[in-house]
Amino acid sequence: MKIGRTLFWFRDGSERIQHLSGQFFGLGTLLNRLLNEKYNGKKIPFINLEFNTEKTYELFPVIPKNTPYYSGGDLQYYGLFDQDEFMKLSWSGQSVFLWERGCQYLKDSAQLMKNKDLTEAVDYAYHKGLAMELNPDFRVVDTEIVLSGQKIRASVWIVFKEEGMYSKLTLEQDGTVIFEKNIDQTAHGIEFFLEIYKSINLEGENMVIKGRKDVEYLPLKISLAELRI
């Protein structure tokens, strides 16, 4: 990927607002994936979009308010937000606010960087994200297998909810989910969770989900009898 990571961060004065940074980890992941679908410019290892209260800038006047900072290939944007007004919004309203504001921050940054590729990628990501209703869930593994002579789409998903992140297996036939199984769950913001799963294979009488060797429950074997297909 040309863009390594995109995250939303929140700060009030000297304190990080960790629960918000965690809750919108999925939104940053969505933005990062969509940017990478289009972006073909110079590599950007990290994009950090800061949403800081006025108190933050009063306490740290050296921080440039509503200004991008680009150094060593990494991009930081120091934005301003009203925490009290933000918390009055619904979950979906907060997501739309951050999406619109975050994409504008990136367009402003692209102008400063004279990075036309980033401008084009942001426009693409902005509209596609809204068309997806800002749903950050995605297939981290996606393959086709054959069961009982039938072609089946087998996927491991990463699912983002207000209370945390989840992984699940789905089997689909002709666009219809015919089997679903929850696998694991963790707190928001655990980037490692996005990198656990690597493949889905058929081995004898089992479907096997393989991944990182340091994950205790992998490889995960699911009996074909359990699938009932």
Side-chain angles (χ1 to χ4, degrees):
M1 296 190 301
K2 287 294 190 76
I3 299 175
R5 183 190 69 175
T6 302
L7 294 174
F8 293 91
W9 297 99
F10 301 83
R11 183 189 293 273
D12 180 29
S14 60
E15 300 294 327
R16 285 281 189 188
I17 311 175
Q18 297 289 5
H19 72 280
L20 289 181
S21 298
Q23 281 186 347
F24 293 102
F25 174 75
L27 194 68
T29 300
L30 172 63
L31 181 54
N32 198 79
R33 288 192 294 108
L34 295 182
L35 288 172
N36 275 299
E37 287 182 8
K38 185 73 173 179
Y39 185 67
N40 198 34
K42 185 177 180 180
K43 185 175 178 63
I44 304 175
F46 299 103
I47 295 177
N48 294 309
L49 301 174
E50 296 267 0
F51 287 80
N52 301 325
T53 63
E54 189 67 58
K55 179 181 176 182
T56 306
Y57 296 103
E58 292 172 356
L59 190 61
F60 302 103
V62 69
I63 299 178
K65 180 166 54 176
N66 289 326
T67 303
Y69 179 73
Y70 180 65
S71 177
D74 297 336
L75 174 62
Q76 192 102 357
Y77 193 100
Y78 298 98
L80 174 68
F81 91 122
D82 185 320
Q83 184 180 1
D84 292 334
E85 291 301 314
F86 181 77
M87 296 308 295
K88 292 177 183 177
L89 299 173
S90 65
W91 166 260
S92 60
Q94 290 174 345
S95 296
V96 171
F97 172 87
L98 294 175
W99 192 257
E100 293 183 343
R101 191 68 64 88
C103 286
Q104 186 59 55
Y105 289 169
L106 287 178
K107 291 185 72 173
D108 293 346
S109 300
Q111 279 192 328
L112 174 72
M113 299 160 62
K114 298 181 180 179
N115 189 333
K116 183 179 178 181
D117 291 301
L118 182 57
T119 299
E120 293 175 353
V122 174
D123 284 336
Y124 169 85
Y126 174 77
H127 292 292
K128 185 168 182 179
L130 292 179
M132 296 169 59
E133 298 182 341
L134 302 183
N135 182 355
D137 302 349
F138 72 101
R139 303 173 196 260
V140 69
V141 179
D142 193 26
T143 191
E144 184 179 273
I145 60 175
V146 177
L147 283 174
S148 303
Q150 305 175 70
K151 290 183 179 180
I152 303 294
R153 185 179 187 180
S155 307
V156 174
W157 291 78
I158 302 297
V159 179
F160 299 87
K161 298 184 179 181
E162 287 192 57
E163 66 273 16
M165 300 190 297
Y166 297 78
S167 58
K168 68 177 182 180
L169 168 71
T170 62
L171 303 181
E172 296 174 58
Q173 186 176 29
D174 299 324
T176 299
V177 176
I178 57 176
F179 179 83
E180 184 171 325
K181 181 181 181 67
N182 291 329
I183 302 173
D184 198 6
Q185 65 184 75
T186 190
H188 285 296
I190 307 299
E191 293 183 70
F192 172 78
F193 195 65
L194 309 183
E195 304 171 353
I196 292 176
Y197 309 101
K198 303 300 181 183
S199 66
I200 302 172
N201 302 288
L202 295 180
E203 296 183 4
E205 296 301 313
N206 297 297
M207 176 177 291
V208 183
I209 299 173
K210 296 182 178 180
R212 292 182 58 123
K213 295 180 180 179
D214 51 354
V215 177
E216 183 178 357
Y217 62 82
L218 294 178
L220 176 63
K221 295 183 179 181
I222 302 170
S223 169
L224 297 183
E226 180 182 344
L227 304 181
R228 299 179 182 176
I229 296 173

Short mmCIF file of all heavy atoms in Angstrom, two decimals, residues 113-161:
data_model
loop_
_atom_site.label_atom_id
_atom_site.label_comp_id
_atom_site.label_asym_id
_atom_site.label_seq_id
_atom_site.Cartn_x
_atom_site.Cartn_y
_atom_site.Cartn_z
N MET A 113 1.26 20.07 -0.21
CA MET A 113 2.28 19.13 -0.67
C MET A 113 2.44 19.14 -2.18
O MET A 113 3.35 18.50 -2.71
CB MET A 113 1.92 17.72 -0.19
CG MET A 113 1.84 17.57 1.31
SD MET A 113 0.89 16.09 1.81
CE MET A 113 1.86 14.78 1.11
N LYS A 114 1.51 19.81 -2.87
CA LYS A 114 1.46 19.80 -4.34
C LYS A 114 1.39 18.37 -4.85
O LYS A 114 2.08 17.97 -5.79
CB LYS A 114 2.66 20.53 -4.92
CG LYS A 114 2.72 22.02 -4.54
CD LYS A 114 3.91 22.72 -5.14
CE LYS A 114 3.93 24.20 -4.73
NZ LYS A 114 5.09 24.93 -5.29
N ASN A 115 0.51 17.62 -4.19
CA ASN A 115 0.37 16.19 -4.47
C ASN A 115 -0.98 15.96 -5.15
O ASN A 115 -2.00 15.72 -4.49
CB ASN A 115 0.49 15.39 -3.18
CG ASN A 115 0.56 13.90 -3.41
OD1 ASN A 115 0.07 13.38 -4.40
ND2 ASN A 115 1.19 13.18 -2.49
N LYS A 116 -0.99 16.02 -6.47
CA LYS A 116 -2.22 15.85 -7.24
C LYS A 116 -2.80 14.46 -7.05
O LYS A 116 -4.03 14.27 -7.03
CB LYS A 116 -1.95 16.12 -8.72
CG LYS A 116 -3.18 16.05 -9.60
CD LYS A 116 -2.84 16.34 -11.05
CE LYS A 116 -4.08 16.22 -11.93
NZ LYS A 116 -3.74 16.48 -13.37
N ASP A 117 -1.93 13.45 -6.93
CA ASP A 117 -2.40 12.08 -6.73
C ASP A 117 -3.22 11.96 -5.46
O ASP A 117 -4.22 11.23 -5.41
CB ASP A 117 -1.22 11.12 -6.67
CG ASP A 117 -0.52 10.97 -8.02
OD1 ASP A 117 -1.18 10.56 -8.97
OD2 ASP A 117 0.69 11.27 -8.09
N LEU A 118 -2.80 12.66 -4.40
CA LEU A 118 -3.54 12.61 -3.14
C LEU A 118 -4.89 13.30 -3.27
O LEU A 118 -5.90 12.81 -2.76
CB LEU A 118 -2.72 13.24 -2.01
CG LEU A 118 -3.36 13.21 -0.62
CD1 LEU A 118 -3.70 11.78 -0.20
CD2 LEU A 118 -2.43 13.86 0.41
N THR A 119 -4.92 14.43 -3.96
CA THR A 119 -6.19 15.13 -4.19
C THR A 119 -7.19 14.22 -4.89
O THR A 119 -8.36 14.13 -4.48
CB THR A 119 -5.98 16.39 -5.03
OG1 THR A 119 -5.11 17.29 -4.33
CG2 THR A 119 -7.30 17.10 -5.31
N GLU A 120 -6.75 13.53 -5.93
CA GLU A 120 -7.63 12.63 -6.67
C GLU A 120 -8.08 11.46 -5.81
O GLU A 120 -9.26 11.05 -5.86
CB GLU A 120 -6.91 12.13 -7.93
CG GLU A 120 -6.64 13.23 -8.95
CD GLU A 120 -5.83 12.73 -10.14
OE1 GLU A 120 -5.36 11.56 -10.09
OE2 GLU A 120 -5.66 13.51 -11.09
N ALA A 121 -7.17 10.94 -5.01
CA ALA A 121 -7.51 9.81 -4.14
C ALA A 121 -8.53 10.23 -3.08
O ALA A 121 -9.43 9.45 -2.74
CB ALA A 121 -6.25 9.25 -3.49
N VAL A 122 -8.38 11.43 -2.54
CA VAL A 122 -9.33 11.91 -1.52
C VAL A 122 -10.72 12.08 -2.11
O VAL A 122 -11.73 11.69 -1.50
CB VAL A 122 -8.84 13.23 -0.89
CG1 VAL A 122 -9.89 13.79 0.05
CG2 VAL A 122 -7.53 13.02 -0.14
N ASP A 123 -10.81 12.66 -3.30
CA ASP A 123 -12.12 12.83 -3.96
C ASP A 123 -12.78 11.47 -4.16
O ASP A 123 -13.98 11.29 -3.91
CB ASP A 123 -11.95 13.53 -5.31
CG ASP A 123 -11.71 15.03 -5.16
OD1 ASP A 123 -12.09 15.59 -4.12
OD2 ASP A 123 -11.13 15.62 -6.09
N TYR A 124 -12.00 10.51 -4.62
CA TYR A 124 -12.52 9.16 -4.83
C TYR A 124 -12.99 8.54 -3.52
O TYR A 124 -14.11 7.99 -3.43
CB TYR A 124 -11.42 8.30 -5.46
CG TYR A 124 -11.71 6.82 -5.50
CD1 TYR A 124 -12.45 6.26 -6.54
CD2 TYR A 124 -11.23 5.97 -4.48
CE1 TYR A 124 -12.71 4.90 -6.58
CE2 TYR A 124 -11.49 4.61 -4.52
CZ TYR A 124 -12.23 4.08 -5.56
OH TYR A 124 -12.50 2.74 -5.59
N ALA A 125 -12.15 8.61 -2.49
CA ALA A 125 -12.47 8.00 -1.20
C ALA A 125 -13.70 8.66 -0.57
O ALA A 125 -14.56 7.97 0.00
CB ALA A 125 -11.28 8.10 -0.26
N TYR A 126 -13.77 9.97 -0.68
CA TYR A 126 -14.89 10.71 -0.07
C TYR A 126 -16.22 10.21 -0.62
O TYR A 126 -17.14 9.85 0.14
CB TYR A 126 -14.73 12.20 -0.34
CG TYR A 126 -15.91 13.03 0.12
CD1 TYR A 126 -16.09 13.35 1.46
CD2 TYR A 126 -16.86 13.49 -0.80
CE1 TYR A 126 -17.18 14.09 1.89
CE2 TYR A 126 -17.95 14.24 -0.38
CZ TYR A 126 -18.11 14.53 0.96
OH TYR A 126 -19.20 15.27 1.37
N HIS A 127 -16.35 10.17 -1.93
CA HIS A 127 -17.63 9.80 -2.54
C HIS A 127 -17.94 8.31 -2.37
O HIS A 127 -19.09 7.93 -2.11
CB HIS A 127 -17.63 10.19 -4.02
CG HIS A 127 -17.63 11.67 -4.25
ND1 HIS A 127 -18.71 12.47 -3.95
CD2 HIS A 127 -16.67 12.50 -4.73
CE1 HIS A 127 -18.43 13.73 -4.24
NE2 HIS A 127 -17.20 13.79 -4.70
N LYS A 128 -16.92 7.46 -2.50
CA LYS A 128 -17.17 6.03 -2.35
C LYS A 128 -17.54 5.70 -0.91
O LYS A 128 -18.42 4.86 -0.66
CB LYS A 128 -15.95 5.22 -2.78
CG LYS A 128 -16.21 3.72 -2.76
CD LYS A 128 -15.15 2.90 -3.44
CE LYS A 128 -15.50 1.42 -3.42
NZ LYS A 128 -14.50 0.58 -4.12
N GLY A 129 -16.89 6.36 0.04
CA GLY A 129 -17.21 6.13 1.44
C GLY A 129 -18.65 6.46 1.77
O GLY A 129 -19.35 5.70 2.46
N LEU A 130 -19.13 7.60 1.27
CA LEU A 130 -20.52 7.99 1.51
C LEU A 130 -21.47 7.02 0.83
O LEU A 130 -22.53 6.69 1.37
CB LEU A 130 -20.76 9.42 1.01
CG LEU A 130 -20.06 10.54 1.80
CD1 LEU A 130 -20.36 11.89 1.17
CD2 LEU A 130 -20.46 10.53 3.27
N ALA A 131 -21.10 6.56 -0.37
CA ALA A 131 -21.94 5.59 -1.08
C ALA A 131 -22.05 4.29 -0.30
O ALA A 131 -23.07 3.58 -0.37
CB ALA A 131 -21.38 5.33 -2.48
N MET A 132 -21.01 3.97 0.48
CA MET A 132 -21.00 2.76 1.31
C MET A 132 -21.63 3.02 2.68
O MET A 132 -21.60 2.14 3.54
CB MET A 132 -19.55 2.29 1.52
CG MET A 132 -18.84 1.85 0.27
SD MET A 132 -17.06 1.63 0.54
CE MET A 132 -17.05 0.37 1.83
N GLU A 133 -22.16 4.24 2.88
CA GLU A 133 -22.73 4.65 4.16
C GLU A 133 -21.70 4.55 5.28
O GLU A 133 -22.04 4.26 6.43
CB GLU A 133 -23.98 3.83 4.48
CG GLU A 133 -25.10 4.03 3.46
CD GLU A 133 -26.36 3.27 3.80
OE1 GLU A 133 -26.30 2.31 4.60
OE2 GLU A 133 -27.42 3.65 3.27
N LEU A 134 -20.44 4.76 4.91
CA LEU A 134 -19.31 4.77 5.85
C LEU A 134 -19.22 3.48 6.66
O LEU A 134 -18.80 3.48 7.82
CB LEU A 134 -19.39 5.99 6.78
CG LEU A 134 -19.40 7.36 6.09
CD1 LEU A 134 -19.41 8.48 7.13
CD2 LEU A 134 -18.20 7.52 5.15
N ASN A 135 -19.59 2.38 6.04
CA ASN A 135 -19.47 1.08 6.69
C ASN A 135 -18.02 0.59 6.59
O ASN A 135 -17.56 0.28 5.49
CB ASN A 135 -20.41 0.08 6.03
CG ASN A 135 -20.38 -1.29 6.70
OD1 ASN A 135 -19.59 -1.53 7.62
ND2 ASN A 135 -21.22 -2.20 6.24
N PRO A 136 -17.30 0.49 7.70
CA PRO A 136 -15.88 0.13 7.64
C PRO A 136 -15.60 -1.37 7.60
O PRO A 136 -14.45 -1.78 7.46
CB PRO A 136 -15.33 0.73 8.93
CG PRO A 136 -16.47 0.65 9.89
CD PRO A 136 -17.71 0.85 9.06
N ASP A 137 -16.64 -2.21 7.71
CA ASP A 137 -16.43 -3.66 7.70
C ASP A 137 -15.79 -4.08 6.37
O ASP A 137 -16.14 -3.56 5.31
CB ASP A 137 -17.75 -4.40 7.88
CG ASP A 137 -18.46 -4.02 9.17
OD1 ASP A 137 -17.84 -3.35 10.01
OD2 ASP A 137 -19.64 -4.40 9.31
N PHE A 138 -14.87 -5.03 6.43
CA PHE A 138 -14.24 -5.47 5.19
C PHE A 138 -13.77 -6.92 5.28
O PHE A 138 -13.59 -7.47 6.36
CB PHE A 138 -13.07 -4.56 4.82
CG PHE A 138 -11.85 -4.70 5.69
CD1 PHE A 138 -10.75 -5.43 5.28
CD2 PHE A 138 -11.79 -4.08 6.94
CE1 PHE A 138 -9.61 -5.55 6.07
CE2 PHE A 138 -10.66 -4.19 7.74
CZ PHE A 138 -9.57 -4.93 7.31
N ARG A 139 -13.60 -7.52 4.11
CA ARG A 139 -13.13 -8.90 4.00
C ARG A 139 -11.60 -8.86 4.02
O ARG A 139 -10.98 -8.34 3.09
CB ARG A 139 -13.60 -9.53 2.70
CG ARG A 139 -15.11 -9.53 2.50
CD ARG A 139 -15.44 -10.04 1.10
NE ARG A 139 -16.81 -9.71 0.72
CZ ARG A 139 -17.84 -10.56 0.76
NH1 ARG A 139 -17.64 -11.80 1.17
NH2 ARG A 139 -19.06 -10.17 0.40
N VAL A 140 -11.01 -9.41 5.06
CA VAL A 140 -9.55 -9.44 5.15
C VAL A 140 -8.98 -10.65 4.43
O VAL A 140 -7.83 -10.66 3.99
CB VAL A 140 -9.10 -9.39 6.63
CG1 VAL A 140 -9.44 -10.66 7.38
CG2 VAL A 140 -7.63 -9.07 6.74
N VAL A 141 -9.79 -11.70 4.30
CA VAL A 141 -9.47 -12.86 3.47
C VAL A 141 -10.69 -13.15 2.61
O VAL A 141 -11.82 -13.16 3.12
CB VAL A 141 -9.12 -14.11 4.31
CG1 VAL A 141 -8.82 -15.30 3.40
CG2 VAL A 141 -7.95 -13.85 5.24
N ASP A 142 -10.48 -13.39 1.32
CA ASP A 142 -11.61 -13.61 0.41
C ASP A 142 -11.17 -14.59 -0.66
O ASP A 142 -10.22 -14.33 -1.40
CB ASP A 142 -12.03 -12.28 -0.22
CG ASP A 142 -13.37 -12.35 -0.93
OD1 ASP A 142 -14.19 -13.21 -0.53
OD2 ASP A 142 -13.60 -11.56 -1.86
N THR A 143 -11.83 -15.75 -0.73
CA THR A 143 -11.41 -16.77 -1.67
C THR A 143 -12.61 -17.59 -2.14
O THR A 143 -13.70 -17.50 -1.56
CB THR A 143 -10.35 -17.70 -1.03
OG1 THR A 143 -9.77 -18.53 -2.02
CG2 THR A 143 -10.97 -18.56 0.06
N GLU A 144 -12.41 -18.37 -3.18
CA GLU A 144 -13.45 -19.27 -3.68
C GLU A 144 -13.05 -20.71 -3.41
O GLU A 144 -11.92 -21.11 -3.67
CB GLU A 144 -13.66 -19.07 -5.18
CG GLU A 144 -14.80 -19.90 -5.75
CD GLU A 144 -15.01 -19.68 -7.24
OE1 GLU A 144 -15.74 -18.74 -7.60
OE2 GLU A 144 -14.42 -20.45 -8.03
N ILE A 145 -13.98 -21.47 -2.86
CA ILE A 145 -13.75 -22.88 -2.60
C ILE A 145 -14.88 -23.68 -3.24
O ILE A 145 -15.89 -23.12 -3.66
CB ILE A 145 -13.68 -23.18 -1.09
CG1 ILE A 145 -15.00 -22.78 -0.40
CG2 ILE A 145 -12.52 -22.46 -0.43
CD1 ILE A 145 -15.07 -23.15 1.06
N VAL A 146 -14.70 -24.99 -3.32
CA VAL A 146 -15.73 -25.86 -3.87
C VAL A 146 -16.16 -26.85 -2.79
O VAL A 146 -15.35 -27.62 -2.27
CB VAL A 146 -15.23 -26.62 -5.11
CG1 VAL A 146 -16.33 -27.56 -5.62
CG2 VAL A 146 -14.84 -25.63 -6.21
N LEU A 147 -17.44 -26.81 -2.45
CA LEU A 147 -18.02 -27.72 -1.46
C LEU A 147 -19.18 -28.47 -2.08
O LEU A 147 -20.09 -27.83 -2.63
CB LEU A 147 -18.51 -26.93 -0.23
CG LEU A 147 -17.46 -26.43 0.76
CD1 LEU A 147 -18.13 -25.56 1.82
CD2 LEU A 147 -16.74 -27.59 1.41
N SER A 148 -19.13 -29.78 -2.00
CA SER A 148 -20.20 -30.61 -2.57
C SER A 148 -20.49 -30.24 -4.02
O SER A 148 -21.64 -30.19 -4.45
CB SER A 148 -21.48 -30.48 -1.72
OG SER A 148 -21.24 -30.83 -0.37
N GLY A 149 -19.42 -29.90 -4.74
CA GLY A 149 -19.56 -29.56 -6.15
C GLY A 149 -20.07 -28.16 -6.41
O GLY A 149 -20.32 -27.78 -7.56
N GLN A 150 -20.22 -27.37 -5.35
CA GLN A 150 -20.74 -26.01 -5.50
C GLN A 150 -19.64 -24.98 -5.23
O GLN A 150 -18.85 -25.14 -4.30
CB GLN A 150 -21.89 -25.78 -4.51
CG GLN A 150 -23.01 -26.80 -4.60
CD GLN A 150 -24.04 -26.58 -3.52
OE1 GLN A 150 -24.79 -25.61 -3.52
NE2 GLN A 150 -24.07 -27.50 -2.55
N LYS A 151 -19.61 -23.92 -6.05
CA LYS A 151 -18.66 -22.84 -5.83
C LYS A 151 -19.17 -21.94 -4.70
O LYS A 151 -20.30 -21.45 -4.74
CB LYS A 151 -18.48 -22.02 -7.10
CG LYS A 151 -17.75 -22.76 -8.21
CD LYS A 151 -17.52 -21.86 -9.42
CE LYS A 151 -16.76 -22.61 -10.51
NZ LYS A 151 -16.53 -21.75 -11.71
N ILE A 152 -18.32 -21.75 -3.70
CA ILE A 152 -18.68 -20.98 -2.51
C ILE A 152 -17.65 -19.86 -2.29
O ILE A 152 -16.44 -20.10 -2.41
CB ILE A 152 -18.72 -21.90 -1.25
CG1 ILE A 152 -19.68 -23.07 -1.46
CG2 ILE A 152 -19.08 -21.09 -0.01
CD1 ILE A 152 -21.13 -22.69 -1.59
N ARG A 153 -18.13 -18.69 -1.98
CA ARG A 153 -17.24 -17.59 -1.61
C ARG A 153 -17.02 -17.63 -0.10
O ARG A 153 -17.98 -17.51 0.68
CB ARG A 153 -17.84 -16.24 -2.00
CG ARG A 153 -16.92 -15.05 -1.75
CD ARG A 153 -17.56 -13.75 -2.18
NE ARG A 153 -16.61 -12.63 -2.11
CZ ARG A 153 -16.92 -11.36 -2.43
NH1 ARG A 153 -18.15 -11.07 -2.86
NH2 ARG A 153 -16.00 -10.42 -2.34
N ALA A 154 -15.77 -17.85 0.29
CA ALA A 154 -15.43 -17.95 1.72
C ALA A 154 -14.64 -16.69 2.12
O ALA A 154 -13.66 -16.33 1.47
CB ALA A 154 -14.60 -19.19 1.98
N SER A 155 -15.08 -16.05 3.21
CA SER A 155 -14.46 -14.79 3.62
C SER A 155 -14.30 -14.72 5.13
O SER A 155 -15.17 -15.18 5.88
CB SER A 155 -15.31 -13.59 3.17
OG SER A 155 -15.61 -13.65 1.79
N VAL A 156 -13.20 -14.12 5.56
CA VAL A 156 -13.06 -13.69 6.95
C VAL A 156 -13.22 -12.18 6.95
O VAL A 156 -12.54 -11.46 6.21
CB VAL A 156 -11.70 -14.09 7.55
CG1 VAL A 156 -11.55 -13.48 8.95
CG2 VAL A 156 -11.55 -15.60 7.62
N TRP A 157 -14.13 -11.71 7.77
CA TRP A 157 -14.45 -10.29 7.87
C TRP A 157 -13.86 -9.70 9.15
O TRP A 157 -13.79 -10.35 10.18
CB TRP A 157 -15.95 -10.08 7.94
CG TRP A 157 -16.73 -10.38 6.71
CD1 TRP A 157 -17.08 -11.61 6.23
CD2 TRP A 157 -17.27 -9.43 5.79
NE1 TRP A 157 -17.81 -11.49 5.09
CE2 TRP A 157 -17.95 -10.16 4.78
CE3 TRP A 157 -17.26 -8.03 5.72
CZ2 TRP A 157 -18.60 -9.54 3.72
CZ3 TRP A 157 -17.92 -7.41 4.67
CH2 TRP A 157 -18.57 -8.15 3.68
N ILE A 158 -13.51 -8.41 9.06
CA ILE A 158 -13.29 -7.59 10.25
C ILE A 158 -14.49 -6.66 10.36
O ILE A 158 -14.82 -5.94 9.41
CB ILE A 158 -12.00 -6.76 10.15
CG1 ILE A 158 -10.79 -7.67 9.94
CG2 ILE A 158 -11.82 -5.92 11.42
CD1 ILE A 158 -10.50 -8.64 11.05
N VAL A 159 -15.16 -6.73 11.50
CA VAL A 159 -16.41 -5.99 11.71
C VAL A 159 -16.20 -4.99 12.84
O VAL A 159 -15.68 -5.34 13.91
CB VAL A 159 -17.56 -6.96 12.07
CG1 VAL A 159 -18.85 -6.19 12.33
CG2 VAL A 159 -17.75 -7.99 10.95
N PHE A 160 -16.62 -3.76 12.61
CA PHE A 160 -16.46 -2.69 13.59
C PHE A 160 -17.81 -2.31 14.19
O PHE A 160 -18.75 -1.99 13.46
CB PHE A 160 -15.83 -1.45 12.94
CG PHE A 160 -14.47 -1.69 12.35
CD1 PHE A 160 -14.33 -2.16 11.06
CD2 PHE A 160 -13.33 -1.43 13.10
CE1 PHE A 160 -13.06 -2.39 10.52
CE2 PHE A 160 -12.07 -1.65 12.57
CZ PHE A 160 -11.94 -2.12 11.27
N LYS A 161 -17.90 -2.37 15.52
CA LYS A 161 -19.10 -1.93 16.23
C LYS A 161 -18.70 -0.90 17.28
O LYS A 161 -17.52 -0.74 17.57
CB LYS A 161 -19.80 -3.13 16.87
CG LYS A 161 -20.28 -4.17 15.86
CD LYS A 161 -21.05 -5.30 16.54
CE LYS A 161 -21.54 -6.31 15.52
NZ LYS A 161 -22.33 -7.41 16.16
#
